Amino acid sequence: MKALKIMQPKLWVFLMLPMLLQLMSCSKDSNASPDNQVQPDLQLGFDTSFATFGDYVKSEDKVYVDKNLRQVEKSKAVYYLKRELLGRDIVPNDDETGNYWEDRKYFKGTPVLLFFYEYYRVDNNQLHFAVNVSELENTNTYMFHGKALWASNDKPLAQGAYSIGELDGDFTVYNPNGSVKDQFGFDRGRKYSNMQKAEDVYKPLIGKWEAVAAQDGNFKMVSQVYELNSNGSINFYPITYLGSGGAVPAWRPVDGETIKTLGSWKYTGQSSNSGSMELFFKGNSIMKGTLSIVSGTQFKLKPTWVDDHFKNENSFKELTFNKK
């Protein structure tokens, strides 16, 4: 079983580098406790009590570690580590300064290597945990940073991510049959949920809905999609269509990867066919509005408040959503 390998270069290197240098310095301090590396067990259904940063002396092909992923001698090991080099930190595009050559100058010589770590059980050679990692070049210092996968009996147990050694991003926990057991997230160490109790979910709204958000004649159209899931989570994202022109254009979606944003939704009924709708992202409210149910396949949503980070020119337009 392989976890998804995702490299995440760009501005985070400026944050990562000082921390890795500090870790290297601390590792030489005889008073430093190795227990400081180990994160707490948060009882999430998968193990989080890992040493997410520290040092590995790589004198052999395999690095042997204990249950907290701290290096030990082979006879005491619970897991062994396989490392795969993904590459050296690459020069980013001009998103940061607007000038590619300035970025190239700043990132030239950045001593960060990107690795993919896989931890296997010593007793049965099954994958237990895999994660993207950054290492400080020419040292033994490492730090978890990127996508992560937990496994049990050769099946995915959970997937999530780390940011500079801390749990961060969206997490999904799976049942043994592969179905979703739980969904939640971490925002700089703060846990939030993307799920509700089954009795709190308004079932008539469950499904995939799409509304036209903006249209430029018969040549371009942007829609808003809500995937309202039965567990109270939501995937929301826009889709851009190009039209063929003419009186009755044929619309086709623009090719490209659809980036879905995961959050949660809550509908509170105020009458038989209307109520309030609230959307959440990372546990924080981002939109409140009034919702009118037209039929089993259509509803209208009029936002009354939108968080500043999610506002655009169409934020307060009433949208008519049709079930897909």
Side-chain angles (χ1 to χ4, degrees):
M1 174 185 291
K2 287 273 189 178
L4 183 63
K5 305 172 188 178
I6 297 182
M7 294 188 292
Q8 297 181 336
K10 282 189 182 285
L11 196 56
W12 64 265
V13 174
F14 291 121
L15 300 175
M16 175 79 72
L17 188 56
M19 296 191 69
L20 284 170
L21 290 170
Q22 183 178 14
L23 287 176
M24 184 175 67
S25 175
C26 291
S27 68
K28 298 177 181 177
D29 183 358
S30 59
N31 296 320
S33 169
D35 290 331
N36 293 338
Q37 307 170 17
V38 179
Q39 304 300 312
D41 184 1
L42 301 179
Q43 303 293 318
L44 299 175
F46 55 92
D47 195 2
T48 59
S49 56
F50 292 154
T52 62
F53 59 88
D55 293 273
Y56 286 148
V57 178
K58 300 172 278 290
S59 58
E60 303 178 6
D61 291 339
K62 294 179 181 178
V63 175
Y64 292 92
V65 298
D66 63 12
K67 66 177 183 178
N68 302 119
L69 308 187
R70 294 174 299 186
Q71 188 167 9
V72 295
E73 59 187 67
K74 183 177 180 179
S75 62
K76 298 179 180 179
V78 178
Y79 309 109
Y80 62 87
L81 166 64
K82 288 185 177 180
R83 299 160 62 250
E84 181 180 347
L85 178 64
L86 300 179
R88 205 166 187 267
D89 179 61
I90 61 175
V91 177
N93 58 29
D94 60 1
D95 287 347
E96 312 304 342
T97 66
N99 186 311
Y100 172 86
W101 297 107
E102 283 296 303
D103 284 344
R104 184 181 179 89
K105 180 178 69 174
Y106 288 135
F107 278 75
K108 183 179 180 181
T110 301
V112 175
L113 297 176
L114 307 177
F115 276 87
F116 185 62
Y117 279 14
E118 294 176 306
Y119 295 88
Y120 291 86
R121 292 178 51 153
V122 170
D123 58 353
N124 60 15
N125 295 314
Q126 289 184 352
L127 179 67
H128 177 70
F129 176 65
V131 63
N132 286 96
V133 174
S134 294
E135 290 189 6
L136 192 61
E137 192 170 10
N138 299 320
T139 75
N140 297 318
T141 303
Y142 74 89
M143 180 177 286
F144 291 179
H145 186 80
K147 296 293 184 180
L149 173 74
W150 289 257
S152 178
N153 298 318
D154 277 336
K155 295 180 179 179
L157 181 64
Q159 64 178 9
Y162 285 85
S163 177
I164 315 183
E166 293 186 333
L167 296 172
D168 189 75
D170 295 323
F171 284 73
T172 302
V173 184
Y174 299 98
N175 291 308
N177 64 4
S179 61
V180 175
K181 179 180 180 181
D182 198 5
Q183 286 183 317
F184 50 84
F186 281 87
D187 182 18
R188 297 182 179 180
R190 178 182 62 86
K191 184 176 180 286
Y192 58 88
S193 178
N194 287 321
M195 297 180 67
Q196 302 177 42
K197 296 179 181 179
E199 59 268 26
D200 294 335
V201 177
Y202 188 65
K203 293 178 176 55
L205 291 178
I206 295 172
K208 182 177 180 180
W209 304 81
E210 186 173 14
V212 175
Q215 186 169 341
D216 181 11
N218 293 334
F219 298 97
K220 182 179 179 181
M221 178 173 65
V222 178
S223 72
Q224 178 66 57
V225 178
Y226 286 173
E227 295 177 359
L228 303 178
N229 303 313
S230 59
N231 60 13
S233 66
I234 177 177
N235 295 101
F236 56 96
Y237 52 95
I239 296 180
T240 299
Y241 295 87
L242 296 180
S244 59
V248 184
W251 296 99
R252 63 175 180 84
V254 175
D255 293 335
E257 181 182 3
T258 298
I259 301 176
K260 299 182 179 182
T261 301
L262 178 65
S264 58
W265 63 282
K266 183 178 181 180
Y267 173 79
T268 304
Q270 296 169 346
S271 68
S272 60
N273 61 355
S274 66
S276 61
M277 184 70 154
E278 188 169 9
L279 303 184
F280 301 84
F281 176 66
K282 293 187 176 182
N284 298 313
S285 179
I286 59 171
M287 191 279 290
K288 297 178 181 179
T290 57
L291 188 147
S292 301
I293 299 174
V294 180
S295 67
T297 59
Q298 186 180 92
F299 69 78
K300 295 179 182 291
L301 178 62
K302 172 63 175 174
T304 56
W305 174 84
V306 179
D307 181 86
D308 288 343
H309 293 94
F310 289 83
K311 282 182 180 177
N312 58 47
E313 62 273 17
N314 300 307
S315 290
F316 294 98
K317 178 196 281 187
E318 182 179 63
L319 299 181
T320 299
F321 284 84
N322 293 293
K323 200 165 192 177
K324 306 298 288 182

